[in-house]
């Protein structure tokens, strides 16, 4: 299947202003077709990792989430060992690393909820017990605005962010890779024509609604957001004798990496 690649302008701001150089969507076609990725769409975005913006002021909904026509379930991979966060991951799983007063997974879920996706499936593994405990003992008043009524010590919350979220916790194995973890939650995705997924270790203000709309317009099985690498390194070329022939600086703007924001159709399991 065709693949679409999103190339933002070099001066794209944090809201992702850019153009799609091929195919329908943002902007007008103005350049040669993108490279092909079989059954996948690759979105390239210069968006920085940041705390997602959210709407404020709307009264919270009560009761279970009302699934809209375009609401999608969100699979969060929360079971990795977090070897690159060793100073944290010896004691807590990576999704519970704090950003401000709340763990990164909470901010990520609020980002998805902002776009109407409030049904989450958490693939647990390493220290999954701590992820369960965090939400089982969740106290909104610890970090939200509230009024305490002294007479009866009743708490009146002014922000209730997770009241309409639905969370499914699934043990997917301690050492499982992403593929096996996804397959183990397949039964919780029954009846869904498509769903979202995330590595649960990065935040962004990626325009998710635009990405999902583009995904639904195209006959592809998967899409993911691609971001420019922030790493800078040197490329070394050697001759047959092992003598260094050339050392070049590899500019980070030439390299794009998987940003960890996915959309899949059910056919991903075939």
């Amino acid at each position: 299947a065709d693949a679409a690649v999103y190339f933002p302008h070099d001066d794209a701001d944090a809201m992702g202003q850019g153009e799609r150089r091929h195919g329908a969507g943002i902007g007008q076609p103005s350049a040669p077709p993108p490279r092909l990725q079989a059954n996948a769409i690759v979105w390239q975005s210069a968006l920085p990792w940041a705390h997602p913006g959210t709407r404020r002021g709307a009264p919270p909904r009560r009761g279970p989430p009302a699934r809209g026509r375009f609401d999608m379930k969100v699979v969060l991979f929360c079971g990795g060992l977090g070897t690159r966060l060793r100073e944290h991951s010896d004691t807590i799983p990576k999704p519970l690393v704090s950003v401000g007063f709340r763990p990164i997974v909470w901010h990520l879920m609020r980002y998805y909820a902002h776009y109407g996706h409030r049904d989450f499936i958490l693939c647990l593994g390493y220290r999954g017990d701590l992820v369960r405990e965090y939400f089982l003992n969740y106290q909104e008043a610890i970090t939200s605005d509230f009024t305490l009524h002294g007479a009866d010590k009743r708490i009146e919350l002014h922000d209730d962010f997770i009241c309409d979220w639905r969370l499914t916790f699934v043990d997917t194995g301690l050492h499982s890779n992403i593929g096996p973890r996804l397959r183990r939650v397949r039964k919780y995705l029954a009846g869904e024509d498509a769903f979202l997924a995330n590595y649960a270790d990065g935040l962004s203000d990626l325009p998710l609604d635009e990405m999902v709309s583009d995904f639904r317009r195209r006959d592809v099985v998967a899409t993911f957001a691609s971001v420019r690498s922030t790493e800078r390194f040197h490329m070394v070329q050697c001759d047959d004798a092992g003598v260094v022939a050339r050392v070049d600086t590899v500019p980070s703007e030439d390299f794009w990496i998987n940003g960890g924001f996915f959309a899949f159709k059910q056919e991903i399991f075939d």
Side-chain angles (χ1 to χ4, degrees):
D2 278 344
V5 184
Y6 183 73
F7 294 93
H9 292 300
D10 291 338
D11 59 350
D13 61 23
M15 293 307 293
Q17 300 299 322
E19 66 175 344
R20 183 174 303 283
R21 295 185 180 175
H22 177 67
I26 305 172
Q28 299 296 326
S30 59
R35 63 184 181 274
L36 295 181
Q37 304 281 341
N39 285 328
I41 301 174
V42 181
W43 270 56
Q44 293 187 334
S45 173
L47 303 176
W49 298 117
H51 187 288
T54 53
R55 297 190 185 97
R56 301 298 296 272
R61 296 205 310 265
R62 301 292 177 177
R67 297 291 302 281
R69 180 181 177 187
F70 298 110
D71 291 353
M72 303 168 72
K73 289 189 176 183
V74 183
V75 176
L76 300 176
F77 300 110
C78 301
L81 296 176
T83 55
R84 287 173 291 182
L85 282 173
R86 184 53 63 191
E87 67 273 18
H88 292 287
S89 59
D90 280 340
T91 55
I92 61 174
K94 183 168 54 175
L96 291 186
V97 171
S98 293
V99 177
F101 295 104
R102 291 188 173 97
I104 190 171
V105 68
W106 181 95
H107 293 287
L108 186 62
M109 294 164 79
R110 188 182 176 195
Y111 162 82
Y112 279 105
H114 170 70
Y115 287 100
H117 312 296
R118 302 178 178 88
D119 197 338
F120 303 97
I121 300 173
L122 281 65
C123 300
L124 304 180
Y126 174 71
R127 296 315 312 265
D129 57 314
L130 295 182
V131 179
R132 297 174 191 260
E133 287 179 5
Y134 173 78
F135 287 102
L136 287 173
N137 301 317
Y138 181 80
Q139 298 185 51
E140 189 72 75
I142 296 298
T143 54
S144 296
D145 297 340
F146 69 92
T147 297
L148 176 65
H149 297 266
D152 54 3
K153 293 187 178 180
R154 177 172 55 88
I155 294 176
E156 178 186 352
L157 288 173
H158 302 298
D159 295 308
D160 193 354
F161 294 110
I162 76 168
C163 67
D164 56 357
W165 295 2
R166 184 173 185 265
L167 285 68
T168 300
F169 299 83
V170 184
D171 185 356
T172 57
L174 180 60
H175 298 291
S176 301
N177 293 325
I178 293 297
R181 292 192 192 280
L182 183 59
R183 182 165 290 278
R184 291 185 184 185
V185 301
R186 182 178 184 178
K187 63 181 180 181
Y188 301 105
L189 296 166
E192 302 293 315
D193 65 321
F195 60 94
L196 303 171
N198 197 286
Y199 285 149
D201 61 359
L203 301 176
S204 176
D205 54 3
L206 172 78
L208 184 65
D209 52 347
E210 297 178 16
M211 175 180 168
V212 171
S213 294
D214 186 83
F215 167 65
R216 289 189 177 278
R217 281 196 300 267
R218 299 173 183 273
D219 186 21
V220 294
V221 173
T223 182
F224 65 92
S226 179
V227 298
R228 281 196 175 101
S229 172
T230 59
E231 300 294 330
R232 293 185 178 274
F233 50 92
H234 291 89
M235 179 178 65
V236 179
Q237 293 182 340
C238 299
D239 60 21
D240 294 339
V243 177
V244 175
R246 183 176 180 180
V247 178
D248 287 327
T249 299
V250 179
S252 60
E253 59 267 19
D254 291 341
F255 284 84
W256 296 77
I257 61 175
N258 182 356
F261 286 70
F262 301 91
F264 297 117
K265 288 184 178 179
Q266 275 287 339
E267 288 82 350
I268 196 69
F269 293 110
D270 297 339

